Amino acid sequence: MKSRFLFLGAVLILATAACTTAPLASVDPLVGAWRGGVQFESGAFAAVKDLEFMYAFQTGGTMTESSNYDGSPPVPPAYGVWRRMADGTYELKYEFYWTKPPSNFDEIAKGGGWAPGGRGVLTQHITLSADGNAFTGTLRLESFDSAGKPTDPPSTAAVKGARIRF
Protein backbone atom coordinates (compact mmCIF):
# COMPACT_ATOMS: atom_id res chain seq x y z
CA MET A 1 0.00 0.00 0.00
CA LYS A 2 2.84 2.37 0.93
CA SER A 3 4.51 1.79 -2.45
CA ARG A 4 1.21 2.61 -4.20
CA PHE A 5 1.07 6.01 -2.41
CA LEU A 6 4.69 6.68 -3.28
CA PHE A 7 3.99 5.82 -6.89
CA LEU A 8 0.87 8.08 -7.00
CA GLY A 9 2.81 10.89 -5.32
CA ALA A 10 5.59 10.62 -7.89
CA VAL A 11 3.05 10.66 -10.74
CA LEU A 12 1.36 13.77 -9.31
CA ILE A 13 4.69 15.56 -8.92
CA LEU A 14 5.71 14.72 -12.49
CA ALA A 15 2.30 15.73 -13.85
CA THR A 16 2.44 19.05 -12.02
CA ALA A 17 5.97 19.71 -13.28
CA ALA A 18 4.88 18.93 -16.85
CA CYS A 19 2.01 21.43 -16.61
CA THR A 20 4.10 24.37 -15.49
CA THR A 21 5.57 26.67 -18.08
CA ALA A 22 9.17 27.69 -17.92
CA PRO A 23 9.86 31.35 -18.70
CA LEU A 24 11.06 32.00 -22.22
CA ALA A 25 14.81 31.82 -22.29
CA SER A 26 14.98 34.95 -24.40
CA VAL A 27 12.18 37.10 -25.77
CA ASP A 28 13.28 39.07 -28.82
CA PRO A 29 13.32 42.83 -28.16
CA LEU A 30 10.93 43.41 -31.10
CA VAL A 31 8.10 41.35 -29.57
CA GLY A 32 5.25 43.55 -28.36
CA ALA A 33 2.98 46.38 -29.49
CA TRP A 34 4.28 49.42 -31.36
CA ARG A 35 2.89 52.65 -32.83
CA GLY A 36 4.65 54.15 -35.80
CA GLY A 37 4.62 56.98 -38.29
CA VAL A 38 4.99 56.41 -42.01
CA GLN A 39 5.85 59.07 -44.59
CA PHE A 40 5.86 57.92 -48.20
CA GLU A 41 8.37 59.64 -50.44
CA SER A 42 6.75 58.44 -53.66
CA GLY A 43 3.53 56.89 -54.95
CA ALA A 44 -0.14 57.41 -54.19
CA PHE A 45 0.38 57.84 -50.43
CA ALA A 46 3.08 60.54 -50.67
CA ALA A 47 0.47 63.29 -50.11
CA VAL A 48 -0.73 61.66 -46.86
CA LYS A 49 1.11 63.41 -44.01
CA ASP A 50 -0.54 61.74 -40.98
CA LEU A 51 -0.28 58.01 -41.78
CA GLU A 52 0.26 55.87 -38.69
CA PHE A 53 0.70 52.12 -38.26
CA MET A 54 0.03 49.97 -35.22
CA TYR A 55 2.17 46.83 -35.11
CA ALA A 56 1.91 43.67 -33.01
CA PHE A 57 5.00 41.45 -33.18
CA GLN A 58 4.53 37.95 -31.79
CA THR A 59 7.12 35.47 -30.56
CA GLY A 60 7.82 33.05 -33.37
CA GLY A 61 8.03 35.66 -36.14
CA THR A 62 4.45 36.59 -37.04
CA MET A 63 2.99 40.07 -36.99
CA THR A 64 -0.17 42.11 -37.54
CA GLU A 65 -0.33 45.71 -38.73
CA SER A 66 -3.20 48.17 -38.95
CA SER A 67 -3.27 51.83 -39.94
CA ASN A 68 -5.30 54.88 -39.07
CA TYR A 69 -6.53 54.78 -42.70
CA ASP A 70 -7.83 51.17 -42.68
CA GLY A 71 -11.40 52.51 -42.91
CA SER A 72 -10.77 54.78 -45.89
CA PRO A 73 -11.38 52.84 -48.10
CA PRO A 74 -12.29 49.85 -45.95
CA VAL A 75 -9.46 47.33 -45.80
CA PRO A 76 -8.57 44.61 -43.27
CA PRO A 77 -5.35 44.66 -41.24
CA ALA A 78 -2.13 43.39 -42.77
CA TYR A 79 -0.61 40.08 -41.71
CA GLY A 80 2.95 38.95 -42.09
CA VAL A 81 6.25 37.77 -40.76
CA TRP A 82 9.38 39.29 -39.29
CA ARG A 83 12.93 38.10 -38.82
CA ARG A 84 16.01 39.32 -37.04
CA MET A 85 18.82 40.10 -39.49
CA ALA A 86 21.42 41.07 -36.87
CA ASP A 87 21.40 42.54 -33.38
CA GLY A 88 18.81 45.33 -33.45
CA THR A 89 17.98 45.06 -37.17
CA TYR A 90 14.92 43.36 -38.63
CA GLU A 91 13.17 42.64 -41.88
CA LEU A 92 9.36 42.59 -42.04
CA LYS A 93 7.15 41.36 -44.84
CA TYR A 94 3.40 41.75 -44.56
CA GLU A 95 0.43 41.83 -46.89
CA PHE A 96 -3.02 43.36 -46.97
CA TYR A 97 -6.03 43.31 -49.26
CA TRP A 98 -7.24 46.54 -50.79
CA THR A 99 -10.72 47.32 -52.05
CA LYS A 100 -12.05 49.30 -54.95
CA PRO A 101 -14.92 51.73 -54.51
CA PRO A 102 -18.33 51.11 -56.02
CA SER A 103 -18.81 52.95 -59.30
CA ASN A 104 -21.95 54.69 -58.01
CA PHE A 105 -24.24 54.94 -54.97
CA ASP A 106 -26.82 52.62 -56.56
CA GLU A 107 -24.39 49.70 -56.17
CA ILE A 108 -24.36 50.27 -52.41
CA ALA A 109 -28.16 50.63 -52.25
CA LYS A 110 -28.51 47.29 -54.05
CA GLY A 111 -26.37 45.52 -51.47
CA GLY A 112 -23.05 45.92 -53.19
CA GLY A 113 -20.10 47.69 -51.70
CA TRP A 114 -16.38 47.81 -51.75
CA ALA A 115 -15.30 44.86 -53.89
CA PRO A 116 -11.87 43.21 -53.68
CA GLY A 117 -9.33 45.15 -55.71
CA GLY A 118 -6.07 43.39 -55.07
CA ARG A 119 -3.36 43.21 -52.47
CA GLY A 120 -0.41 45.17 -51.21
CA VAL A 121 2.96 43.76 -50.16
CA LEU A 122 5.03 45.77 -47.71
CA THR A 123 8.71 45.04 -47.05
CA GLN A 124 10.25 46.96 -44.20
CA HIS A 125 13.74 47.19 -42.70
CA ILE A 126 14.03 48.64 -39.21
CA THR A 127 16.73 49.29 -36.64
CA LEU A 128 15.92 49.41 -32.93
CA SER A 129 17.25 52.17 -30.70
CA ALA A 130 19.84 51.24 -28.09
CA ASP A 131 17.16 51.02 -25.36
CA GLY A 132 14.87 48.88 -27.57
CA ASN A 133 11.90 51.23 -27.26
CA ALA A 134 12.00 52.95 -30.67
CA PHE A 135 12.87 52.15 -34.26
CA THR A 136 13.58 53.86 -37.57
CA GLY A 137 13.73 52.39 -41.04
CA THR A 138 12.45 52.18 -44.58
CA LEU A 139 9.42 50.62 -46.20
CA ARG A 140 8.64 49.51 -49.77
CA LEU A 141 5.04 49.07 -50.99
CA GLU A 142 4.12 47.02 -54.03
CA SER A 143 0.48 46.90 -55.22
CA PHE A 144 -1.10 44.13 -57.29
CA ASP A 145 -4.53 43.73 -58.85
CA SER A 146 -6.70 40.65 -58.31
CA ALA A 147 -4.88 38.89 -61.15
CA GLY A 148 -1.49 39.52 -59.51
CA LYS A 149 -0.32 42.20 -61.97
CA PRO A 150 1.38 45.33 -60.59
CA THR A 151 -0.97 48.32 -60.45
CA ASP A 152 1.59 51.04 -59.67
CA PRO A 153 5.36 51.36 -59.51
CA PRO A 154 6.71 50.41 -56.06
CA SER A 155 6.73 53.31 -53.57
CA THR A 156 9.03 53.95 -50.63
CA ALA A 157 8.59 55.47 -47.19
CA ALA A 158 10.54 56.44 -44.10
CA VAL A 159 9.22 54.83 -40.90
CA LYS A 160 9.64 55.40 -37.20
CA GLY A 161 8.03 53.74 -34.23
CA ALA A 162 7.77 53.65 -30.48
CA ARG A 163 6.91 50.78 -28.18
CA ILE A 164 3.50 51.04 -26.53
CA ARG A 165 4.06 50.93 -22.78
CA PHE A 166 2.21 51.49 -19.53
Side-chain angles (χ1 to χ4, degrees):
M1 186 78 145
K2 186 176 180 182
S3 63
R4 183 179 283 172
F5 283 117
L6 287 174
F7 175 75
L8 287 174
V11 168
L12 286 174
I13 289 170
L14 290 173
T16 302
C19 292
T20 61
T21 57
L24 294 174
S26 170
V27 173
D28 193 282
L30 188 61
V31 170
W34 297 76
R35 179 178 179 181
V38 179
Q39 182 56 62
F40 277 91
E41 301 154 354
S42 62
F45 292 105
V48 178
K49 302 298 181 197
D50 62 346
L51 182 60
E52 294 182 3
F53 283 4
M54 296 288 223
Y55 304 88
F57 296 101
Q58 293 85 28
T59 300
T62 60
M63 64 170 289
T64 307
E65 175 274 329
S66 186
S67 88
N68 60 329
Y69 278 88
D70 280 358
S72 177
V75 296
Y79 300 92
V81 294
W82 62 270
R83 63 181 172 181
R84 185 174 150 295
M85 303 303 288
D87 285 345
T89 61
Y90 298 86
E91 181 178 42
L92 325 173
K93 183 176 181 180
Y94 47 112
E95 300 189 17
F96 66 94
Y97 292 109
W98 55 269
T99 56
K100 56 185 174 182
S103 59
N104 59 54
F105 183 75
D106 289 340
E107 285 184 30
I108 295 173
K110 293 177 184 174
W114 295 77
R119 66 185 175 90
V121 176
L122 298 126
T123 306
Q124 194 168 331
H125 294 91
I126 61 173
T127 301
L128 291 183
S129 62
D131 68 3
N133 290 314
F135 67 75
T136 57
T138 58
L139 180 146
R140 176 183 166 98
L141 169 64
E142 298 173 274
S143 297
F144 303 92
D145 65 17
S146 295
K149 294 184 181 187
T151 59
D152 296 307
S155 53
T156 57
V159 297
K160 61 183 178 179
R163 184 179 301 281
I164 298 174
R165 305 180 66 103
F166 282 103

